Amino acid sequence: MRLTHRQLEIFQSLMQTLNITATAQQLFSSQPTISRELKNIEEILGFHLFYRENRRLEPSQQAIALNVIVQRSFVSLDEIIRTAQAIREDRLKRLSIACLPAFAHALIPQALQLFLAQLPGTSIKIHSLEESALTRDLVSKFFDLGVVEGNFDRTASSTIDLYAGDLVCLMPASHPLAKCSVLYPQDLAGQDFIYYSEEDSYRREVDAFFSRANVSRRLLVETTTAPSIGSLVRSGIGLSIVNPLTALAFHGDGVCVRPLAQKIAYYVHVWQPEPAKRGPFASIFIQSLEKTIFDSRQRLDELFR
């Protein structure tokens, strides 16, 4: 026979209280049950654990030696419980987000302000990569949600599409076209342009925008991140057509934003894993994203009035 965890609990309690009645109270049991279990423990072990001395129990040398090992066992169990609690609390207080660098720069910080106002102290992890690598990581690693540009269709997951406004033109505030309230494709003919790489989904839409109007422009710089585009525009290198969130992040300080006459709608796609793998706070963060995007559209509307 083997000792049960309950029997080890009884033994440890008896070593502390040296009293059967006190142990019964401590373990919410009865005196006869504790006495019976003590007898069973001694039969399993093959030696006496306690001697009675004036209603008190005196541990034998064997009991003292055994208690050293039992204490180690209970310390290990306590450590397991503490570790499990730490894991549980970390999981409950953690939000893991995968997103494009453009969103890490222009959308996520504002949404996190709203989110943390509701859930202060939550630990945030932001995983920022270009879209081709990001979509791979979304299916191979665990995230509470992903914020991407392109459509992301995977089994056992869901995507929320959030309209963020229309693409706009970003230019130095000193540029002659800054005097225009609205820009037509012909206005941009022959201008020096800063572009995203050809793999970017909206780059293809912008190329089609100019192709339909039979307008050519000079592709001066190709880059992969929104912050680099904003910095290049601010330096006077050229113009760029960017998403409205990036545009708002750079508007001012030598940079201005102008709408296009022909609209190119821009959407933010929020990916969530299958329901069983979703964190408890993702839905609250999505609400913060929606509010941030709504506020951004309002700011652009006021800017273009």
PDB file of all heavy atoms in Angstrom, residues 61-93:
ATOM      1  N   GLN A  61      11.675   8.758  17.045  1.00  0.00           N
ATOM      2  CA  GLN A  61      12.813   9.167  16.221  1.00  0.00           C
ATOM      3  C   GLN A  61      12.536   8.918  14.742  1.00  0.00           C
ATOM      4  O   GLN A  61      12.946   9.701  13.878  1.00  0.00           O
ATOM      5  CB  GLN A  61      14.070   8.393  16.663  1.00  0.00           C
ATOM      6  CG  GLN A  61      14.600   8.784  18.024  1.00  0.00           C
ATOM      7  CD  GLN A  61      14.991  10.258  18.089  1.00  0.00           C
ATOM      8  OE1 GLN A  61      15.638  10.792  17.185  1.00  0.00           O
ATOM      9  NE2 GLN A  61      14.587  10.924  19.164  1.00  0.00           N
ATOM     10  N   GLN A  62      11.809   7.817  14.466  1.00  0.00           N
ATOM     11  CA  GLN A  62      11.441   7.523  13.081  1.00  0.00           C
ATOM     12  C   GLN A  62      10.526   8.608  12.517  1.00  0.00           C
ATOM     13  O   GLN A  62      10.646   9.012  11.362  1.00  0.00           O
ATOM     14  CB  GLN A  62      10.759   6.155  12.983  1.00  0.00           C
ATOM     15  CG  GLN A  62      11.672   4.985  13.307  1.00  0.00           C
ATOM     16  CD  GLN A  62      11.616   4.615  14.786  1.00  0.00           C
ATOM     17  OE1 GLN A  62      11.310   5.470  15.637  1.00  0.00           O
ATOM     18  NE2 GLN A  62      11.912   3.369  15.088  1.00  0.00           N
ATOM     19  N   ALA A  63       9.576   9.100  13.371  1.00  0.00           N
ATOM     20  CA  ALA A  63       8.647  10.146  12.925  1.00  0.00           C
ATOM     21  C   ALA A  63       9.404  11.439  12.624  1.00  0.00           C
ATOM     22  O   ALA A  63       9.102  12.135  11.645  1.00  0.00           O
ATOM     23  CB  ALA A  63       7.580  10.386  13.987  1.00  0.00           C
ATOM     24  N   ILE A  64      10.385  11.764  13.471  1.00  0.00           N
ATOM     25  CA  ILE A  64      11.164  12.983  13.255  1.00  0.00           C
ATOM     26  C   ILE A  64      11.937  12.899  11.936  1.00  0.00           C
ATOM     27  O   ILE A  64      11.981  13.862  11.152  1.00  0.00           O
ATOM     28  CB  ILE A  64      12.121  13.215  14.441  1.00  0.00           C
ATOM     29  CG1 ILE A  64      11.300  13.527  15.711  1.00  0.00           C
ATOM     30  CG2 ILE A  64      13.104  14.336  14.139  1.00  0.00           C
ATOM     31  CD1 ILE A  64      12.135  13.569  16.979  1.00  0.00           C
ATOM     32  N   ALA A  65      12.518  11.725  11.675  1.00  0.00           N
ATOM     33  CA  ALA A  65      13.259  11.541  10.430  1.00  0.00           C
ATOM     34  C   ALA A  65      12.324  11.616   9.219  1.00  0.00           C
ATOM     35  O   ALA A  65      12.648  12.232   8.196  1.00  0.00           O
ATOM     36  CB  ALA A  65      13.991  10.200  10.455  1.00  0.00           C
ATOM     37  N   LEU A  66      11.160  11.000   9.347  1.00  0.00           N
ATOM     38  CA  LEU A  66      10.196  11.012   8.239  1.00  0.00           C
ATOM     39  C   LEU A  66       9.674  12.424   7.975  1.00  0.00           C
ATOM     40  O   LEU A  66       9.458  12.813   6.821  1.00  0.00           O
ATOM     41  CB  LEU A  66       9.026  10.078   8.571  1.00  0.00           C
ATOM     42  CG  LEU A  66       7.917   9.985   7.514  1.00  0.00           C
ATOM     43  CD1 LEU A  66       8.451   9.410   6.212  1.00  0.00           C
ATOM     44  CD2 LEU A  66       6.750   9.153   8.045  1.00  0.00           C
ATOM     45  N   ASN A  67       9.499  13.184   9.025  1.00  0.00           N
ATOM     46  CA  ASN A  67       8.925  14.529   8.877  1.00  0.00           C
ATOM     47  C   ASN A  67       9.814  15.453   8.041  1.00  0.00           C
ATOM     48  O   ASN A  67       9.324  16.350   7.346  1.00  0.00           O
ATOM     49  CB  ASN A  67       8.700  15.145  10.265  1.00  0.00           C
ATOM     50  CG  ASN A  67       7.878  16.415  10.180  1.00  0.00           C
ATOM     51  OD1 ASN A  67       6.835  16.466   9.522  1.00  0.00           O
ATOM     52  ND2 ASN A  67       8.324  17.470  10.842  1.00  0.00           N
ATOM     53  N   VAL A  68      11.125  15.222   8.101  1.00  0.00           N
ATOM     54  CA  VAL A  68      12.039  16.028   7.279  1.00  0.00           C
ATOM     55  C   VAL A  68      11.693  15.865   5.802  1.00  0.00           C
ATOM     56  O   VAL A  68      11.620  16.842   5.041  1.00  0.00           O
ATOM     57  CB  VAL A  68      13.497  15.625   7.553  1.00  0.00           C
ATOM     58  CG1 VAL A  68      14.443  16.338   6.580  1.00  0.00           C
ATOM     59  CG2 VAL A  68      13.868  15.934   8.991  1.00  0.00           C
ATOM     60  N   ILE A  69      11.451  14.638   5.378  1.00  0.00           N
ATOM     61  CA  ILE A  69      11.134  14.364   3.977  1.00  0.00           C
ATOM     62  C   ILE A  69       9.741  14.889   3.630  1.00  0.00           C
ATOM     63  O   ILE A  69       9.522  15.468   2.569  1.00  0.00           O
ATOM     64  CB  ILE A  69      11.217  12.847   3.697  1.00  0.00           C
ATOM     65  CG1 ILE A  69      12.601  12.307   4.065  1.00  0.00           C
ATOM     66  CG2 ILE A  69      10.908  12.565   2.235  1.00  0.00           C
ATOM     67  CD1 ILE A  69      13.740  12.988   3.328  1.00  0.00           C
ATOM     68  N   VAL A  70       8.792  14.675   4.547  1.00  0.00           N
ATOM     69  CA  VAL A  70       7.409  15.112   4.284  1.00  0.00           C
ATOM     70  C   VAL A  70       7.352  16.631   4.150  1.00  0.00           C
ATOM     71  O   VAL A  70       6.649  17.168   3.287  1.00  0.00           O
ATOM     72  CB  VAL A  70       6.465  14.620   5.398  1.00  0.00           C
ATOM     73  CG1 VAL A  70       5.073  15.235   5.231  1.00  0.00           C
ATOM     74  CG2 VAL A  70       6.372  13.100   5.367  1.00  0.00           C
ATOM     75  N   GLN A  71       8.095  17.341   4.962  1.00  0.00           N
ATOM     76  CA  GLN A  71       8.121  18.802   4.869  1.00  0.00           C
ATOM     77  C   GLN A  71       8.638  19.265   3.513  1.00  0.00           C
ATOM     78  O   GLN A  71       8.115  20.203   2.911  1.00  0.00           O
ATOM     79  CB  GLN A  71       8.982  19.380   6.003  1.00  0.00           C
ATOM     80  CG  GLN A  71       8.263  19.426   7.347  1.00  0.00           C
ATOM     81  CD  GLN A  71       9.108  20.105   8.400  1.00  0.00           C
ATOM     82  OE1 GLN A  71      10.315  19.928   8.459  1.00  0.00           O
ATOM     83  NE2 GLN A  71       8.469  20.899   9.234  1.00  0.00           N
ATOM     84  N   ARG A  72       9.678  18.574   3.035  1.00  0.00           N
ATOM     85  CA  ARG A  72      10.197  18.903   1.709  1.00  0.00           C
ATOM     86  C   ARG A  72       9.119  18.703   0.646  1.00  0.00           C
ATOM     87  O   ARG A  72       8.975  19.497  -0.287  1.00  0.00           O
ATOM     88  CB  ARG A  72      11.411  18.028   1.378  1.00  0.00           C
ATOM     89  CG  ARG A  72      12.646  18.332   2.194  1.00  0.00           C
ATOM     90  CD  ARG A  72      13.749  17.352   1.826  1.00  0.00           C
ATOM     91  NE  ARG A  72      14.905  17.497   2.701  1.00  0.00           N
ATOM     92  CZ  ARG A  72      15.926  16.649   2.711  1.00  0.00           C
ATOM     93  NH1 ARG A  72      15.931  15.610   1.878  1.00  0.00           N
ATOM     94  NH2 ARG A  72      16.941  16.838   3.533  1.00  0.00           N
ATOM     95  N   SER A  73       8.376  17.617   0.790  1.00  0.00           N
ATOM     96  CA  SER A  73       7.314  17.315  -0.162  1.00  0.00           C
ATOM     97  C   SER A  73       6.260  18.408  -0.163  1.00  0.00           C
ATOM     98  O   SER A  73       5.817  18.865  -1.222  1.00  0.00           O
ATOM     99  CB  SER A  73       6.666  15.964   0.183  1.00  0.00           C
ATOM    100  OG  SER A  73       5.527  15.738  -0.618  1.00  0.00           O
ATOM    101  N   PHE A  74       5.859  18.861   1.024  1.00  0.00           N
ATOM    102  CA  PHE A  74       4.823  19.893   1.108  1.00  0.00           C
ATOM    103  C   PHE A  74       5.333  21.247   0.643  1.00  0.00           C
ATOM    104  O   PHE A  74       4.596  22.028   0.067  1.00  0.00           O
ATOM    105  CB  PHE A  74       4.267  19.970   2.536  1.00  0.00           C
ATOM    106  CG  PHE A  74       3.140  19.018   2.768  1.00  0.00           C
ATOM    107  CD1 PHE A  74       3.386  17.694   3.083  1.00  0.00           C
ATOM    108  CD2 PHE A  74       1.829  19.440   2.639  1.00  0.00           C
ATOM    109  CE1 PHE A  74       2.349  16.804   3.284  1.00  0.00           C
ATOM    110  CE2 PHE A  74       0.785  18.554   2.834  1.00  0.00           C
ATOM    111  CZ  PHE A  74       1.039  17.228   3.158  1.00  0.00           C
ATOM    112  N   VAL A  75       6.631  21.511   0.866  1.00  0.00           N
ATOM    113  CA  VAL A  75       7.216  22.744   0.334  1.00  0.00           C
ATOM    114  C   VAL A  75       7.152  22.728  -1.183  1.00  0.00           C
ATOM    115  O   VAL A  75       6.835  23.724  -1.823  1.00  0.00           O
ATOM    116  CB  VAL A  75       8.667  22.912   0.823  1.00  0.00           C
ATOM    117  CG1 VAL A  75       9.376  24.003   0.025  1.00  0.00           C
ATOM    118  CG2 VAL A  75       8.682  23.256   2.302  1.00  0.00           C
ATOM    119  N   SER A  76       7.447  21.557  -1.778  1.00  0.00           N
ATOM    120  CA  SER A  76       7.384  21.435  -3.233  1.00  0.00           C
ATOM    121  C   SER A  76       5.966  21.640  -3.740  1.00  0.00           C
ATOM    122  O   SER A  76       5.736  22.308  -4.751  1.00  0.00           O
ATOM    123  CB  SER A  76       7.897  20.059  -3.668  1.00  0.00           C
ATOM    124  OG  SER A  76       9.254  19.902  -3.300  1.00  0.00           O
ATOM    125  N   LEU A  77       4.984  21.088  -3.049  1.00  0.00           N
ATOM    126  CA  LEU A  77       3.589  21.270  -3.441  1.00  0.00           C
ATOM    127  C   LEU A  77       3.192  22.736  -3.344  1.00  0.00           C
ATOM    128  O   LEU A  77       2.492  23.261  -4.222  1.00  0.00           O
ATOM    129  CB  LEU A  77       2.674  20.413  -2.561  1.00  0.00           C
ATOM    130  CG  LEU A  77       2.701  18.905  -2.834  1.00  0.00           C
ATOM    131  CD1 LEU A  77       1.885  18.168  -1.775  1.00  0.00           C
ATOM    132  CD2 LEU A  77       2.163  18.594  -4.217  1.00  0.00           C
ATOM    133  N   ASP A  78       3.617  23.387  -2.279  1.00  0.00           N
ATOM    134  CA  ASP A  78       3.323  24.819  -2.129  1.00  0.00           C
ATOM    135  C   ASP A  78       3.944  25.620  -3.262  1.00  0.00           C
ATOM    136  O   ASP A  78       3.347  26.572  -3.777  1.00  0.00           O
ATOM    137  CB  ASP A  78       3.852  25.333  -0.783  1.00  0.00           C
ATOM    138  CG  ASP A  78       3.019  24.828   0.388  1.00  0.00           C
ATOM    139  OD1 ASP A  78       1.877  24.377   0.141  1.00  0.00           O
ATOM    140  OD2 ASP A  78       3.520  24.883   1.522  1.00  0.00           O
ATOM    141  N   GLU A  79       5.163  25.210  -3.647  1.00  0.00           N
ATOM    142  CA  GLU A  79       5.839  25.908  -4.745  1.00  0.00           C
ATOM    143  C   GLU A  79       5.084  25.714  -6.055  1.00  0.00           C
ATOM    144  O   GLU A  79       4.958  26.643  -6.864  1.00  0.00           O
ATOM    145  CB  GLU A  79       7.273  25.389  -4.880  1.00  0.00           C
ATOM    146  CG  GLU A  79       8.108  26.121  -5.912  1.00  0.00           C
ATOM    147  CD  GLU A  79       8.304  27.592  -5.573  1.00  0.00           C
ATOM    148  OE1 GLU A  79       8.279  27.928  -4.372  1.00  0.00           O
ATOM    149  OE2 GLU A  79       8.473  28.386  -6.507  1.00  0.00           O
ATOM    150  N   ILE A  80       4.580  24.513  -6.261  1.00  0.00           N
ATOM    151  CA  ILE A  80       3.782  24.244  -7.460  1.00  0.00           C
ATOM    152  C   ILE A  80       2.538  25.107  -7.478  1.00  0.00           C
ATOM    153  O   ILE A  80       2.174  25.693  -8.506  1.00  0.00           O
ATOM    154  CB  ILE A  80       3.402  22.741  -7.529  1.00  0.00           C
ATOM    155  CG1 ILE A  80       4.664  21.906  -7.807  1.00  0.00           C
ATOM    156  CG2 ILE A  80       2.352  22.501  -8.599  1.00  0.00           C
ATOM    157  CD1 ILE A  80       4.433  20.421  -7.679  1.00  0.00           C
ATOM    158  N   ILE A  81       1.884  25.215  -6.341  1.00  0.00           N
ATOM    159  CA  ILE A  81       0.664  26.026  -6.248  1.00  0.00           C
ATOM    160  C   ILE A  81       0.977  27.497  -6.504  1.00  0.00           C
ATOM    161  O   ILE A  81       0.257  28.187  -7.228  1.00  0.00           O
ATOM    162  CB  ILE A  81       0.000  25.835  -4.869  1.00  0.00           C
ATOM    163  CG1 ILE A  81      -0.547  24.407  -4.743  1.00  0.00           C
ATOM    164  CG2 ILE A  81      -1.131  26.853  -4.670  1.00  0.00           C
ATOM    165  CD1 ILE A  81      -1.017  24.046  -3.349  1.00  0.00           C
ATOM    166  N   ARG A  82       2.087  27.985  -5.895  1.00  0.00           N
ATOM    167  CA  ARG A  82       2.476  29.386  -6.106  1.00  0.00           C
ATOM    168  C   ARG A  82       2.819  29.652  -7.572  1.00  0.00           C
ATOM    169  O   ARG A  82       2.452  30.687  -8.131  1.00  0.00           O
ATOM    170  CB  ARG A  82       3.660  29.741  -5.211  1.00  0.00           C
ATOM    171  CG  ARG A  82       3.301  29.944  -3.748  1.00  0.00           C
ATOM    172  CD  ARG A  82       4.435  30.632  -3.016  1.00  0.00           C
ATOM    173  NE  ARG A  82       5.665  29.852  -3.016  1.00  0.00           N
ATOM    174  CZ  ARG A  82       5.971  28.938  -2.098  1.00  0.00           C
ATOM    175  NH1 ARG A  82       5.127  28.694  -1.108  1.00  0.00           N
ATOM    176  NH2 ARG A  82       7.113  28.272  -2.162  1.00  0.00           N
ATOM    177  N   THR A  83       3.512  28.700  -8.185  1.00  0.00           N
ATOM    178  CA  THR A  83       3.871  28.861  -9.593  1.00  0.00           C
ATOM    179  C   THR A  83       2.627  28.873 -10.470  1.00  0.00           C
ATOM    180  O   THR A  83       2.504  29.692 -11.387  1.00  0.00           O
ATOM    181  CB  THR A  83       4.818  27.729 -10.029  1.00  0.00           C
ATOM    182  OG1 THR A  83       5.991  27.753  -9.214  1.00  0.00           O
ATOM    183  CG2 THR A  83       5.208  27.886 -11.492  1.00  0.00           C
ATOM    184  N   ALA A  84       1.701  27.944 -10.181  1.00  0.00           N
ATOM    185  CA  ALA A  84       0.458  27.895 -10.961  1.00  0.00           C
ATOM    186  C   ALA A  84      -0.323  29.195 -10.819  1.00  0.00           C
ATOM    187  O   ALA A  84      -0.899  29.702 -11.790  1.00  0.00           O
ATOM    188  CB  ALA A  84      -0.396  26.710 -10.508  1.00  0.00           C
ATOM    189  N   GLN A  85      -0.337  29.734  -9.607  1.00  0.00           N
ATOM    190  CA  GLN A  85      -1.038  30.999  -9.381  1.00  0.00           C
ATOM    191  C   GLN A  85      -0.382  32.135 -10.151  1.00  0.00           C
ATOM    192  O   GLN A  85      -1.057  32.978 -10.744  1.00  0.00           O
ATOM    193  CB  GLN A  85      -1.061  31.330  -7.888  1.00  0.00           C
ATOM    194  CG  GLN A  85      -1.843  32.599  -7.563  1.00  0.00           C
ATOM    195  CD  GLN A  85      -1.890  32.878  -6.070  1.00  0.00           C
ATOM    196  OE1 GLN A  85      -1.284  32.162  -5.279  1.00  0.00           O
ATOM    197  NE2 GLN A  85      -2.598  33.910  -5.691  1.00  0.00           N
ATOM    198  N   ALA A  86       0.959  32.138 -10.157  1.00  0.00           N
ATOM    199  CA  ALA A  86       1.679  33.183 -10.899  1.00  0.00           C
ATOM    200  C   ALA A  86       1.397  33.089 -12.388  1.00  0.00           C
ATOM    201  O   ALA A  86       1.199  34.102 -13.067  1.00  0.00           O
ATOM    202  CB  ALA A  86       3.184  33.063 -10.638  1.00  0.00           C
ATOM    203  N   ILE A  87       1.361  31.855 -12.911  1.00  0.00           N
ATOM    204  CA  ILE A  87       1.035  31.659 -14.328  1.00  0.00           C
ATOM    205  C   ILE A  87      -0.377  32.133 -14.617  1.00  0.00           C
ATOM    206  O   ILE A  87      -0.632  32.816 -15.612  1.00  0.00           O
ATOM    207  CB  ILE A  87       1.200  30.170 -14.707  1.00  0.00           C
ATOM    208  CG1 ILE A  87       2.688  29.774 -14.638  1.00  0.00           C
ATOM    209  CG2 ILE A  87       0.634  29.906 -16.101  1.00  0.00           C
ATOM    210  CD1 ILE A  87       2.917  28.291 -14.775  1.00  0.00           C
ATOM    211  N   ARG A  88      -1.308  31.772 -13.720  1.00  0.00           N
ATOM    212  CA  ARG A  88      -2.704  32.168 -13.915  1.00  0.00           C
ATOM    213  C   ARG A  88      -2.850  33.686 -13.874  1.00  0.00           C
ATOM    214  O   ARG A  88      -3.511  34.277 -14.731  1.00  0.00           O
ATOM    215  CB  ARG A  88      -3.584  31.528 -12.846  1.00  0.00           C
ATOM    216  CG  ARG A  88      -5.081  31.848 -13.016  1.00  0.00           C
ATOM    217  CD  ARG A  88      -5.919  31.095 -12.014  1.00  0.00           C
ATOM    218  NE  ARG A  88      -5.661  31.488 -10.649  1.00  0.00           N
ATOM    219  CZ  ARG A  88      -5.028  30.748  -9.755  1.00  0.00           C
ATOM    220  NH1 ARG A  88      -4.571  29.557 -10.083  1.00  0.00           N
ATOM    221  NH2 ARG A  88      -4.820  31.188  -8.518  1.00  0.00           N
ATOM    222  N   GLU A  89      -2.210  34.321 -12.927  1.00  0.00           N
ATOM    223  CA  GLU A  89      -2.320  35.782 -12.813  1.00  0.00           C
ATOM    224  C   GLU A  89      -1.654  36.485 -13.983  1.00  0.00           C
ATOM    225  O   GLU A  89      -2.159  37.481 -14.492  1.00  0.00           O
ATOM    226  CB  GLU A  89      -1.707  36.240 -11.490  1.00  0.00           C
ATOM    227  CG  GLU A  89      -2.545  35.846 -10.282  1.00  0.00           C
ATOM    228  CD  GLU A  89      -1.899  36.262  -8.978  1.00  0.00           C
ATOM    229  OE1 GLU A  89      -0.737  36.721  -9.014  1.00  0.00           O
ATOM    230  OE2 GLU A  89      -2.556  36.132  -7.928  1.00  0.00           O
ATOM    231  N   ASP A  90      -0.522  35.930 -14.450  1.00  0.00           N
ATOM    232  CA  ASP A  90       0.133  36.526 -15.614  1.00  0.00           C
ATOM    233  C   ASP A  90      -0.753  36.420 -16.837  1.00  0.00           C
ATOM    234  O   ASP A  90      -0.859  37.340 -17.627  1.00  0.00           O
ATOM    235  CB  ASP A  90       1.468  35.822 -15.871  1.00  0.00           C
ATOM    236  CG  ASP A  90       2.194  36.380 -17.079  1.00  0.00           C
ATOM    237  OD1 ASP A  90       2.604  37.547 -17.011  1.00  0.00           O
ATOM    238  OD2 ASP A  90       2.326  35.670 -18.086  1.00  0.00           O
ATOM    239  N   ARG A  91      -1.416  35.282 -16.988  1.00  0.00           N
ATOM    240  CA  ARG A  91      -2.315  35.077 -18.132  1.00  0.00           C
ATOM    241  C   ARG A  91      -3.492  36.034 -18.058  1.00  0.00           C
ATOM    242  O   ARG A  91      -3.918  36.605 -19.060  1.00  0.00           O
ATOM    243  CB  ARG A  91      -2.803  33.621 -18.122  1.00  0.00           C
ATOM    244  CG  ARG A  91      -3.776  33.287 -19.238  1.00  0.00           C
ATOM    245  CD  ARG A  91      -3.050  33.234 -20.587  1.00  0.00           C
ATOM    246  NE  ARG A  91      -4.011  33.012 -21.642  1.00  0.00           N
ATOM    247  CZ  ARG A  91      -4.616  33.966 -22.315  1.00  0.00           C
ATOM    248  NH1 ARG A  91      -4.368  35.225 -22.040  1.00  0.00           N
ATOM    249  NH2 ARG A  91      -5.469  33.684 -23.271  1.00  0.00           N
ATOM    250  N   LEU A  92      -4.023  36.210 -16.871  1.00  0.00           N
ATOM    251  CA  LEU A  92      -5.202  37.052 -16.718  1.00  0.00           C
ATOM    252  C   LEU A  92      -4.869  38.528 -16.852  1.00  0.00           C
ATOM    253  O   LEU A  92      -5.724  39.328 -17.219  1.00  0.00           O
ATOM    254  CB  LEU A  92      -5.852  36.783 -15.356  1.00  0.00           C
ATOM    255  CG  LEU A  92      -6.513  35.410 -15.187  1.00  0.00           C
ATOM    256  CD1 LEU A  92      -7.013  35.249 -13.766  1.00  0.00           C
ATOM    257  CD2 LEU A  92      -7.651  35.216 -16.172  1.00  0.00           C
ATOM    258  N   LYS A  93      -3.630  38.895 -16.578  1.00  0.00           N
ATOM    259  CA  LYS A  93      -3.259  40.311 -16.593  1.00  0.00           C
ATOM    260  C   LYS A  93      -2.372  40.654 -17.788  1.00  0.00           C
ATOM    261  O   LYS A  93      -1.653  41.637 -17.764  1.00  0.00           O
ATOM    262  CB  LYS A  93      -2.538  40.673 -15.287  1.00  0.00           C
ATOM    263  CG  LYS A  93      -3.421  40.555 -14.062  1.00  0.00           C
ATOM    264  CD  LYS A  93      -2.653  40.942 -12.815  1.00  0.00           C
ATOM    265  CE  LYS A  93      -3.534  40.844 -11.575  1.00  0.00           C
ATOM    266  NZ  LYS A  93      -2.795  41.182 -10.348  1.00  0.00           N
TER     267      LYS A  93
END
